[in-house]
Amino acid sequence: MYKKVVWFIICYFSICISVFANTAMPQIQSEGAILIEPKTNTVLYGKNEHKKLYPASTTKILTAMIVLEELNQNSTLTKSQGSVNIVPADSSHIGLAVGDSISVKDALYGLLVGSDNFIAHDLAIASKGSIDNFASRMNEKAKHYGALNTHFTNPHGYHDPNHYTTAYDLAQIARETFSVPELIKMAATTKYTVKVLNTNRTITVTNKNRLLDSNTPYYNEHVVAAKTGFHDDAQQTLVAKAIYGDMELIAVVMKVKSPGQYEDINKLFEYGQEYFKVSQDGERGYELINQTASPWAQSYIDSALKNKWITEKGANYKEAIPVQHLIYMLNVAIGGKERITLEEIGGVLGESLKKEETLTRLQIARLMPYLTDKYACFFEIKEGMPFIPDIESLSAKDQENIKFTVRRGILGAPNTIYRPNDKLTWQEAACMASRLLEGK
């Protein structure tokens, strides 16, 4: 009977903890990726988002933006022999012959729907007179948008070692380009008919982007604009904008094998729409609402954001917090002249720590006697101590440190399972900082 009761208690706590810890970050296979909320320009997810990678044909969203601003859509564009001489022969194209003329409007559709590199070349020449001049304009524009680690050498994205960007920068470019209704319409078109003016024939251009194709498993009805890219060095790249009610999201994935680009970007959109919202206040503008915190932790997170202990509004508060952010939070929350340092914490733990490392709950428990002594903190014992499985397997000192920590409510919710080897989360760090401040 005793064993059954113990087993029931363990199962009960396991169910409780699973309810509070299911906000998992999406598992992304792409080498670089990012998800942003464009109204507040908040990063909701990032993986190597500042690493320089090749954009391939996603370059064309910036080309389209510049052309839209500088050329009349009703003017005529003719496929030139120069484009054939310069653009590599294995480039994507829609089937125009040298001398074929189309409107600039149709050329933009050929660029974004058909991903035609020759059209990109001729549009650049028509806009700025030379590829070098157009590339300079692209770089100027990208920098203006906040893409500071980007350098473009051509209007189409065909591989050049000096033609690169980052997931973050590409998201900033998409934030601007995918705010223009005409470009959104073009970048969401699945099929378009181009009229060849000099021969009176037509060319049907079909978009190969599976996000937009309802006949594929990767179709996403919320996607309103998207552009694919590929070459051997870039692998698959994809940038897209999705709208879920009042919530807008922009995602970028870079350097992944197909169909990983579609799998990853849909995971990012699903994560963003489920755990984040945007509200609008007439005086304050748009405000991001982060719903990743557990109910017990929401007041601690709200207080931390209000008091600027946390500046990362797009963080997943159930994920592990890097030690550099923990140190920042504690120093801002507790204040005073004495500052906690990375070296100091490492010295207490007897380890050499790196700022991007994460700490376990056990390591935090080992720190608590030192921190409470340093800041002269006093805590009242809390009711409902968390269940600590297998605590007897730890040293007597570690048992003492853990009991000291959890009985004072320093690391979060009572009536849950306290697993010493679990990583310290953002919400537990906010609770920890708040309790240390209360105890001063």
Side-chain angles (χ1 to χ4, degrees):
M1 180 65 182
Y2 173 76
K3 290 183 178 179
K4 289 183 178 180
V5 171
V6 171
W7 179 248
F8 171 79
I9 293 172
I10 293 174
C11 289
Y12 171 77
F13 281 120
S14 297
I15 292 171
C16 288
I17 198 69
S18 67
V19 170
F20 290 115
N22 61 358
T23 313
M25 292 288 256
Q27 298 302 302
I28 300 301
Q29 49 197 308
S30 301
E31 188 164 324
I34 196 169
L35 175 71
I36 70 168
E37 190 291 303
K39 291 178 180 176
T40 62
N41 202 22
T42 303
V43 176
L44 309 181
Y45 173 91
K47 177 185 177 183
N48 297 325
E49 64 268 36
H50 297 295
K51 182 175 182 178
K52 291 179 181 178
L53 297 167
Y54 301 121
S57 284
T58 57
T59 299
K60 291 165 183 165
I61 65 173
L62 182 56
T63 297
M65 182 73 160
I66 295 171
V67 168
L68 192 66
E69 291 176 345
E70 300 192 358
L71 294 181
N72 187 323
Q73 290 190 57
N74 294 320
S75 61
T76 300
L77 184 80
T78 301
K79 182 168 182 176
S80 68
Q81 183 62 47
S83 72
V84 175
N85 293 341
I86 296 173
V87 177
D90 61 348
S91 289
S92 55
H93 63 89
I94 64 171
L96 293 173
V98 172
D100 279 345
S101 296
I102 59 177
S103 69
V104 168
K105 177 181 178 181
D106 280 8
L108 285 167
Y109 275 96
L111 182 75
L112 294 177
V113 180
S115 204
D116 192 310
N117 284 9
F118 301 93
I119 286 177
H121 176 94
D122 287 327
L123 284 171
I125 297 295
S127 174
K128 286 297 179 184
S130 74
I131 297 302
D132 286 345
N133 288 344
F134 192 83
S136 294
R137 179 60 176 152
M138 294 176 77
N139 291 322
E140 177 186 283
K141 201 78 167 171
K143 185 176 181 180
H144 176 70
Y145 292 159
L148 304 181
N149 293 303
T150 290
H151 186 262
F152 293 140
T153 62
N154 63 63
H156 40 67
Y158 198 94
H159 182 53
D160 180 329
N162 291 316
H163 187 99
Y164 56 80
T165 188
T166 68
Y168 177 86
D169 284 10
L170 192 51
Q172 296 305 303
I173 293 169
R175 181 177 179 237
E176 297 294 334
T177 57
F178 288 164
S179 68
V180 178
E182 287 176 280
L183 292 182
I184 289 175
K185 181 181 178 181
M186 292 174 182
T189 298
T190 57
K191 188 172 288 189
Y192 185 81
T193 301
V194 173
K195 298 176 182 179
V196 183
L197 302 176
N198 58 300
T199 63
N200 290 322
R201 70 185 178 103
T202 60
I203 300 173
T204 300
V205 183
T206 301
N207 198 325
K208 296 179 181 179
N209 192 325
R210 295 187 220 176
L211 284 180
L212 306 173
D213 186 350
S214 60
N215 295 315
T216 75
Y218 308 108
Y219 172 67
N220 188 328
E221 64 180 342
H222 300 282
V223 171
V224 297
K227 184 69 190 80
T228 58
F230 173 81
H231 59 63
D232 289 343
D233 292 278
Q235 296 187 34
Q236 298 291 343
T237 65
L238 180 60
V239 55
K241 179 177 183 176
I243 298 179
Y244 296 83
D246 295 330
M247 182 73 170
E248 296 183 3
L249 296 168
I250 288 175
V252 175
V253 295
M254 304 184 75
K255 200 169 186 181
V256 65
K257 293 182 179 179
S258 189
Q261 71 273 35
Y262 300 112
E263 295 169 345
D264 283 355
I265 215 157
N266 278 326
K267 286 179 185 178
L268 290 173
F269 284 143
E270 182 180 354
Y271 171 73
Q273 67 87 22
E274 185 171 357
Y275 294 112
F276 299 89
K277 302 294 179 187
V278 171
S279 66
Q280 185 174 10
D281 185 294
E283 296 179 357
R284 294 180 297 175
Y286 292 103
E287 181 179 6
L288 181 76
I289 300 172
N290 184 328
Q291 302 177 122
T292 62
S294 299
W296 68 264
Q298 193 61 59
S299 62
Y300 295 118
I301 293 294
D302 290 343
S303 177
L305 288 170
K306 180 180 178 181
N307 293 298
K308 298 184 178 172
W309 306 350
I310 295 177
T311 56
E312 295 76 10
K313 290 188 177 181
N316 184 329
Y317 297 132
K318 292 179 184 174
E319 287 290 309
I321 181 171
V323 68
Q324 62 177 331
H325 291 293
L326 170 65
I327 291 171
Y328 174 82
M329 189 186 302
L330 293 175
N331 282 331
V332 175
I334 298 170
K337 294 181 180 180
E338 292 190 85
R339 315 300 286 173
I340 302 169
T341 66
L342 183 68
E343 293 73 22
E344 182 180 7
I345 289 180
V348 175
L349 296 176
E351 301 178 35
S352 177
L353 298 176
K354 296 180 180 179
K355 61 183 181 180
E356 66 274 9
E357 283 187 53
T358 55
L359 300 180
T360 65
R361 292 172 176 172
L362 177 56
Q363 287 175 307
I364 294 300
R366 290 169 177 168
L367 273 175
M368 289 317 301
Y370 173 80
L371 293 177
T372 54
D373 181 64
K374 178 174 182 175
Y375 292 107
C377 297
F378 173 78
F379 303 97
E380 294 182 1
I381 302 298
K382 294 274 188 178
E383 297 295 328
M385 190 181 83
F387 174 66
I388 309 170
D390 300 324
I391 192 171
E392 292 79 9
S393 64
L394 301 173
S395 69
K397 187 64 174 176
D398 280 342
Q399 290 184 47
E400 180 184 340
N401 290 335
I402 289 174
K403 289 177 181 179
F404 175 90
T405 302
V406 299
R407 283 174 175 167
R408 288 154 180 81
I410 293 173
L411 284 187
N415 302 321
T416 56
I417 292 179
Y418 180 94
R419 296 184 176 91
N421 291 324
D422 281 0
K423 295 293 187 178
L424 181 76
T425 64
W426 285 84
Q427 61 186 17
E428 290 172 333
C431 174
M432 175 182 169
S434 179
R435 292 291 292 145
L436 285 171
L437 181 59
E438 289 172 11
K440 286 187 66 178

